[in-house]
Amino acid sequence: MIEGAQHFPDYLDATAQSALLADLRRVVAEAPLYTPTMPRTGKPLSVRMTNCGALGWLTDKSGGYRYQATHPETGQPWPAIPASLLQLWSNVASGAPAPEACLINFYADRTKMGLHVDRDEETLDAPVVSVSLGDDAWFRIGGLDRRDKTERVLLRSGDVFVMGGSARLAYHGIDRILPGTSMLLKGGGRINLTLRRVTRPA
Ligand code: MD6
Ligand code: FE
């Protein structure tokens, strides 16, 4: 795997996963999941999204990919990032300035996410830290060129995946989720959180 990509299987035990889920329910109560749309075409993404943190990542037909401080539908500021996630970041993001954005993606059974690079941030010095909850998913990670060879990694509930160093700009995506592989979410599906630093620290 590309340098800077690190998989921490079972980083959160069952108790920590339930506690994090409870935190996320509070976030979603304030900042409801919504369906983002592609820049220009307005085609809906299959993933549903929300955010917590000072900044949230979003996309829509007219504004494209961007960070903004408010929820696109409620107009309210995003809820704070739960303390448990700030702690997780300081444990795995070795020395990086505090995260400003936590994107929350909800995957239903048939949701995929095409190969992409996370590069809407102003600073690429900090890693992106991802946390998975719920059903297993086949994650695909390659290199800096879309044509580089890729490999797949099974991301399971409680896993953390860090992309820093050379891996910060590596292509990656979700091939598919494996319905029925976790009991954590009552209705099934998968949640993925990605924590990011967006602005350069002062
Ligand atoms: C997902 N993850 O696991 C999608 N991005 O659902 C990402 O897009 C991702 O896992 C940046 C760094 C780590 C990731
Ligand atoms: Fe990503």
Side-chain angles (χ1 to χ4, degrees):
M1 199 149 49
I2 185 168
E3 181 280 321
Q6 269 181 291
H7 183 199
F8 299 93
D10 290 318
Y11 189 90
L12 301 176
D13 64 17
T15 306
Q17 291 174 43
S18 301
L20 177 55
L21 187 58
D23 288 335
L24 296 177
R25 291 199 196 291
R26 285 187 283 272
V27 167
V28 171
E30 228 181 291
L33 289 164
Y34 63 92
T35 300
T37 55
M38 294 289 288
R40 294 179 301 279
T41 63
K43 185 179 183 291
L45 275 64
S46 60
V47 68
R48 291 197 298 147
M49 290 184 175
T50 189
N51 290 269
C52 51
L55 293 170
W57 185 88
L58 55 100
T59 170
D60 59 26
K61 184 177 164 118
S62 57
Y65 300 143
R66 64 196 186 276
Y67 281 93
Q68 72 175 41
T70 54
H71 190 290
E73 292 180 353
T74 68
Q76 292 301 116
W78 304 106
I81 298 177
S84 56
L85 287 173
L86 296 175
Q87 185 61 55
L88 187 153
W89 171 275
S90 27
N91 294 343
V92 300
S94 52
E100 296 170 296
C102 176
L103 173 63
I104 301 169
N105 283 159
F106 179 78
Y107 294 74
D109 287 359
R110 311 282 280 277
T111 307
K112 305 169 191 299
M113 183 171 299
L115 272 190
H116 67 277
V117 173
D118 290 31
R119 62 176 147 215
D120 297 319
E121 299 72 29
E122 196 182 295
T123 177
L124 300 171
D125 293 345
V128 178
V129 172
S130 109
V131 184
S132 295
L133 292 174
D135 285 334
D136 298 354
W138 283 115
F139 178 70
R140 185 166 291 281
I141 179 164
L144 301 182
D145 190 301
R146 188 182 275 281
R147 295 159 300 188
D148 291 346
K149 76 165 178 10
T150 60
E151 61 190 282
R152 60 178 205 173
V153 175
L154 188 66
L155 292 183
R156 310 197 69 201
S157 195
D159 288 9
V160 168
F161 199 90
V162 178
M163 288 171 58
S166 314
R168 180 63 181 77
L169 292 175
Y171 277 88
H172 60 279
I174 293 288
D175 289 354
R176 63 190 184 95
I177 77 159
L178 304 173
T181 47
S182 166
M183 302 283 281
L184 184 71
L185 306 179
K186 276 159 284 289
R190 171 175 183 262
I191 295 170
N192 179 261
L193 311 173
T194 43
L195 292 152
R196 306 110 187 276
R197 177 75 195 189
V198 179
T199 66
R200 272 182 287 275

